[in-house]
Structure formats: C-alpha cells, structure tokens
Amino acid sequence: KNQVEQSPQSLIILEGKNCTLQCNYTVSPFSNLRWYKQDTGRGPVSLTIMTFSENTKSNGRYTATLDADTKQSSLHITASQLSDSASYICVVSGWMDSSYKLIFGSGTRLLVRP
Amino acid sequence: GAVVSQHPSRVICKSGTSVKIECRSLDFQATTMFWYRQFPKKSLMLMATSNEGSKATYEQGVEKDKFLINHASLTLSTLTVTSAHPEDSSFYICSARDRTGPGELFFGEGSRLTVL
C-alpha cells in the first residue's frame, strides 16, 4: 500500500532552535518528493521538490534530504523563527495504476515559542 | 513564481443552494488539477483529480454528483458543491501541476465555505 508517514505529529520548540521533521514513504514507483508549509487558513506553499537522484535541497533556512534507498526524507529548519509556526506536509508522487498520483502525509504541526 | 488563484476566498450560502469555486493557474498550464477538503487542524484530504478535457477521478467516498468538477481548459478547473448542506462547510483547496519541468505542484489560497 502506498503510504506517507510523518513524524512527529506535533512539535514545540523555542525560537532560535533547530528542528528536524521526518517523512517515511512506501510509494512505488517514486517520482518526486515535496515539502510544503501551510499556515493556518492558507494554502500550502512549496518549500522543496526533489527527484530520486537528489539527496539534499535547501531553501533558505529549510534543508530537505532524501534517501531513496531507505525511502526516508527529512526537513531541517535552522534557527527557527516565530513565523515558522505552521503545518509541514510531505507529499510523494509517482505513477500508479497508469495514473499520476500524489500521496499526502498527515503533516507535522510545528509551534515556535518565544 | 507560479501562482494559483482561487475564487471566492470566502463564501456563505443557504442550505440547498449550489456554490461554484474556481481554480486558475495564472502563469503556467496545468493538465492536472487537484481538489482537497480540509477540516480544522486536520490534514488535506484529496477529493478528486481533475484532468483537462476528461472526467475527473474521484476518491473513494466522495460523491461525484455532489461535488461537480469541470476542467475546461489548461488553466481553469471549477468545483461546484451542489445542494449544499451545513456539513459541507469546510476549507476547500485546489492545486495545479505544472505540465513542464518536474511538474511542480502549486496550491491555491483556499476557499472557506460556510453553509447556513
């Protein structure tokens, strides 16, 4: 079964600290993996997109890693800011049953406290 | 960067009426668009996949006669909630997949539907 599991479900950190969010997937065949940030009441915004050949990709203070062998990805946030408080969603895509499908993780809710 | 516009952002309607939500890709073409529903503090739930020029593919448990999806062009998809009821009140979000490059996925800002 094609699944995307994220951990932790929620996380509270102090402003300025670093944190790492995890995404494990069983989607096969794999096309690419995306990380999104979703503020409450807003649409998700893309942070990174990686194909199977990419191991790491950065976007400012956000760095995503991908291990296609173990089917794991992580999103590392450096020097967290209050504005980082949001849900972070991992999305894995691939061609399944002759159609392009996106499998969403349930997200990690991050709260950054002053 | 690429933008997906959703309209309206908020809508309030009476029970029994129909509501149409538009999703437009403003500076790219999208052969595939997706519609989601999201309840408070819950993750996005895929409702249907909309392919330009063909019928939408609905996820299990989503009533296709209740949620009508039309993808008439490479830049526009619409979701019509027919005969809306209070339990249809939710946050509806669309996304569009760029047909070029790695097929990056862009989301709209969402539409909050309240059915009285």
Side-chain angles (χ1 to χ4, degrees):
Chain A
K1 183 179 179 182
N2 293 304
Q3 286 186 314
V4 176
E5 295 189 355
Q6 289 186 245
S7 62
Q9 191 173 33
S10 61
L11 182 63
I12 302 174
I13 62 173
L14 293 176
E15 186 179 11
K17 297 296 185 182
N18 304 334
C19 67
T20 300
L21 314 180
Q22 298 291 341
C23 175
N24 297 337
Y25 63 94
T26 59
V27 177
S28 181
F30 168 87
S31 180
N32 54 48
L33 186 146
R34 304 168 167 94
W35 281 95
Y36 289 89
K37 176 188 178 186
Q38 185 181 21
D39 293 312
T40 301
R42 306 291 297 274
V45 174
S46 178
L47 296 176
T48 61
I49 177 172
M50 292 186 290
T51 63
F52 70 92
S53 61
E54 296 176 287
N55 298 122
T56 184
K57 183 164 282 190
S58 292
N59 178 359
R61 294 181 295 103
Y62 301 102
T63 299
T65 64
L66 174 64
D67 186 332
D69 292 329
T70 61
K71 296 185 178 179
Q72 295 179 325
S73 176
S74 66
L75 180 69
H76 187 74
I77 304 175
T78 304
S80 61
Q81 299 176 359
L82 299 179
S83 59
D84 293 331
S85 296
S87 288
Y88 292 83
I89 306 168
C90 173
V91 184
V92 180
S93 63
W95 287 91
M96 291 156 260
D97 299 324
S98 300
S99 62
Y100 185 81
K101 289 187 184 293
L102 295 158
I103 310 297
F104 282 72
S106 57
T108 293
R109 296 177 65 84
L110 174 66
L111 176 61
V112 180
R113 285 188 170 161
Chain B
V3 176
V4 173
S5 172
Q6 237 181 286
H7 178 80
S9 58
R10 291 178 181 272
V11 57
I12 301 172
C13 69
K14 292 183 179 180
S15 185
T17 60
S18 294
V19 175
K20 179 185 284 188
I21 301 170
E22 291 187 348
C23 178
R24 292 180 185 272
S25 57
L26 296 186
D27 53 1
F28 65 97
Q29 292 184 329
T31 50
T32 307
M33 290 185 174
F34 305 87
W35 287 95
Y36 313 83
R37 186 172 181 175
Q38 188 174 35
F39 293 105
K41 297 186 179 181
K42 298 294 184 183
S43 60
L44 293 166
M45 183 185 77
L46 180 65
M47 299 174 65
T49 301
S50 167
N51 295 298
E52 185 265 339
S54 64
K55 291 183 179 180
T57 304
Y58 290 81
E59 295 299 301
Q60 194 171 11
V62 178
E63 300 174 59
K64 59 182 178 182
D65 295 329
K66 172 77 172 175
F67 300 99
L68 300 179
I69 291 173
N70 182 277
H71 193 156
S73 74
L74 288 172
T75 58
L76 174 65
S77 177
T78 61
L79 167 68
T80 302
V81 183
T82 62
S83 187
H85 289 104
E87 57 265 30
D88 297 325
S89 298
S90 187
F91 193 52
Y92 292 89
I93 305 175
C94 74
S95 67
R97 180 171 175 252
D98 191 339
R99 65 185 302 196
T100 63
E104 192 151 1
L105 189 69
F106 300 96
F107 285 82
E109 283 293 326
S111 299
R112 182 160 302 283
L113 170 64
T114 302
V115 184
L116 302 176

